[in-house]
Amino acid sequence: MEDHSLPAPDTSLSLTEYVLDLAIGQEFPDVETCRRRLKNIALVQHFDLRIVKSDRSRFIAKCSKEGCPWRVHVAKCPGVPTFTVRTLHGEHTCEGVLNLHHQQASVGWVARSVEARVRDNPRYKPKEILQDIRDQHGVAVSYMQAWRGKERSMAALHGTFEEGYRLLPAYCEQIRKTNPGSIASVFAIGQENCFHRLFISYRASIYGFIHACRPLLELDRAHLKGKYLGSLLCAAAVDADDALFPLAIAIVDVESDENWMWFMSELRKLLGVSTDNMPRLTILSERQRGVVEAVETHFPSAFHGFCLRYVSENFRDTFKNAKLVNIFWNAVYALTAVEFDSKIAEMAEISQDVIPWFQHFPPQLWAVAYFEGVRYGHFTLGVTELLYNWALECHELPIVQMMEHIRHQLSSWYNDRRDMGMRWASILVPSAEKRVLEAMADARCYQVLRANEVEFEIVSTERTNIVDIQTRVCSCRRWHIYGLPCAHAAAALMSCGHNVHLFAEPWFTVASYRESYTQMINPIPDKSLWKESGEGTEGGSANVDITIRPPKTRRPPGRPKKKVLRVENFKRPKRVVQCGRCHMLGHSQKKCTLPS
């Protein structure tokens, strides 16, 4: 067992600091610590160390160059476990190692050198390791040495990938024990009990979604690039202030239609109600075939819509026309069918190929004017970026440490948001408050005609809209689509003395926000305290002790291809300026060169 009472070398500490410590009478807790200290000295002084004797009672080493007098003799002290330097000839007459390569710079030495940096930054790259070692220690190591050194250091800090799978049943048991009401289950497959699926949802998330979040779920996945690959699935809601609220997380050995069906089945069980009782639930995804079938099977009453980023990127890549893309976005946000159809006709005048494209992507699945579900202003998947970040941060961690990283982040989010919610004194959360105040400001220029106790006619220079404050409906449809009173509704409510803020959907109130985060995600004890009892294979007993082994899928050799996911891909494309005189893109009438 390594004793950490002596400082371990790392990339922030120069090895020269160890040279001054070597002297006659100096003590070491064990022979292994002595061996490592002498290797460090050899690296600093650039000479090769030759070990003459190394056993339980003594350690003798000398310089490997013939005729050089450098020599050290360390022996065990009688009656105690420590070792003491008995003899030391500390002068060299040889020229030492003349190049940057050194025999003592082993993979084990690299692992110990970078342990502190790897602990703080698991994404510490091998090329950064070899450069730091060269700059700070004057030693050259190969890329493969740096890679293996990091792997060994990661295994020492977090355990091996294989140990992570073996600990999964005990980890799930700890989640259920420390967070009662949570769901945590792992399934193996085959005679070898290879890992198949893992599903985790904390009670804090379940409670927050059912009692306080709007009925909206986002579904997506990210592919893991660790040693045994796999996919990370997630279902996430949105809290009152439009922040992502992860509900359930799963890791599967491979993304497949079968695994999506299983995930949605677990999600339905988690909610604890019949799908017939959730007619208003809206689900957003990229609508892959497996996801569509799973949603239709387990949530037949839900409205299942496209992620708008996926649709818009397909449209952009298909037509490669900036003007068409600009009109497309106007069509997306059109509130009524009349407005939407006029934009489609405008696009069809530019390209007739638009019509067949809409047959592949029916507007009923994504356009605001036709989609029957309520998105509350959410059109793209925020969960995509979250999963991408988790996969990037955790792909080098064993599966238990990966789930612990996610749990720590969720717990931190919940604590911060709980504290923030307690500081708010308004009726609505800040994001909703801002939109309602904007609507109230716009409402002051409208003329209000009252038809009866609940119906109003709102007259503006553009059009006339009908508002019913009892059913909370405006003919412009914005109130229904976004869940917040539009400017027309604000005008009607203000005219009869109502507080506009009280007519927002309850999902946008500070009370709902606080309710979302009333529950806490409790910590999990160190793995040394777990009892390693397994659950069982799929379809078997949940109390059978088993050892779960890694899945059959393994990362292929070689450097994987990178797919860069840019932040700007998560945002709506910038508006393209069109000249009203020459109708060309890229400039306005003021900068147009054509004569007026």
Side-chain angles (χ1 to χ4, degrees), residues 192-216:
E192 299 180 5
N193 291 329
C194 293
F195 172 80
H196 189 31
R197 299 162 173 163
L198 171 70
F199 184 93
I200 293 177
S201 181
Y202 294 97
R203 181 182 182 275
S205 301
I206 300 171
Y207 179 91
F209 174 70
I210 293 176
H211 291 86
C213 288
R214 64 196 80 172
L216 175 72

Side-chain angles (χ1 to χ4, degrees), residues 557-576:
R559 186 182 298 276
K561 294 182 179 179
K562 283 188 177 180
K563 181 182 179 182
V564 179
L565 194 60
R566 302 186 185 278
V567 175
E568 55 263 27
N569 288 344
F570 295 100
K571 301 177 182 177
R572 177 180 172 178
K574 292 183 179 179
R575 179 177 174 270
V576 179

Side-chain angles (χ1 to χ4, degrees), residues 87-289:
T87 306
L88 174 65
H89 299 287
E91 298 296 328
H92 284 275
T93 58
C94 66
E95 58 186 359
V97 179
L98 299 179
N99 55 50
L100 295 177
H101 297 280
H102 204 291
Q103 289 184 359
Q104 309 305 324
S106 62
V107 170
W109 176 80
V110 172
R112 292 189 296 274
S113 298
V114 303
E115 184 173 332
R117 286 288 298 273
V118 169
R119 182 188 296 111
D120 297 335
N121 178 23
R123 294 164 61 186
Y124 192 29
K125 297 179 181 178
K127 65 180 181 181
E128 296 173 339
I129 292 174
L130 61 89
Q131 187 61 50
D132 286 348
I133 287 177
R134 184 178 186 128
D135 293 343
Q136 298 181 32
H137 304 324
V139 176
V141 297
S142 68
Y143 184 91
M144 190 52 65
Q145 278 180 296
W147 173 276
R148 289 174 177 163
K150 180 188 174 180
E151 277 201 329
R152 189 174 296 187
S153 182
M154 290 286 288
L157 290 168
H158 305 293
T160 63
F161 281 88
E162 293 74 16
E163 182 190 26
Y165 289 106
R166 180 172 57 81
L167 289 173
L168 275 178
Y171 179 66
C172 290
E173 182 181 0
Q174 289 298 319
I175 291 177
R176 296 191 298 268
K177 183 178 179 181
T178 57
N179 292 268
S182 300
I183 299 174
S185 54
V186 60
F187 300 94
I189 194 171
Q191 295 182 347
E192 299 180 5
N193 291 329
C194 293
F195 172 80
H196 189 31
R197 299 162 173 163
L198 171 70
F199 184 93
I200 293 177
S201 181
Y202 294 97
R203 181 182 182 275
S205 301
I206 300 171
Y207 179 91
F209 174 70
I210 293 176
H211 291 86
C213 288
R214 64 196 80 172
L216 175 72
L217 283 178
E218 298 181 2
L219 302 177
D220 207 356
R221 82 285 184 239
H223 298 299
L224 301 174
K225 296 182 180 179
K227 184 176 181 180
Y228 291 100
L229 302 177
S231 291
L232 180 64
L233 313 182
C234 183
V238 182
D239 69 17
D241 202 36
D242 289 335
L244 210 60
F245 189 90
L247 173 62
I249 300 157
I251 295 181
V252 295
D253 50 358
V254 64
E255 185 192 7
S256 64
D257 295 353
E258 178 190 0
N259 278 334
W260 270 116
M261 189 68 72
W262 162 81
F263 181 70
M264 298 307 295
S265 171
E266 294 296 308
L267 200 59
R268 186 186 63 183
K269 296 176 189 175
L270 170 156
L271 295 176
V273 293
S274 169
T275 54
D276 295 335
N277 295 331
M278 296 185 297
R280 293 185 59 195
L281 182 64
T282 297
I283 296 176
L284 303 179
S285 74
E286 292 184 358
R287 289 186 60 92
Q288 308 97 308
R289 186 187 65 180

Side-chain angles (χ1 to χ4, degrees), residues 304-316:
H304 188 188
F306 264 118
C307 164
L308 203 55
R309 180 176 60 252
Y310 175 78
V311 176
S312 64
E313 287 178 355
N314 186 285
F315 185 89
R316 181 195 63 198

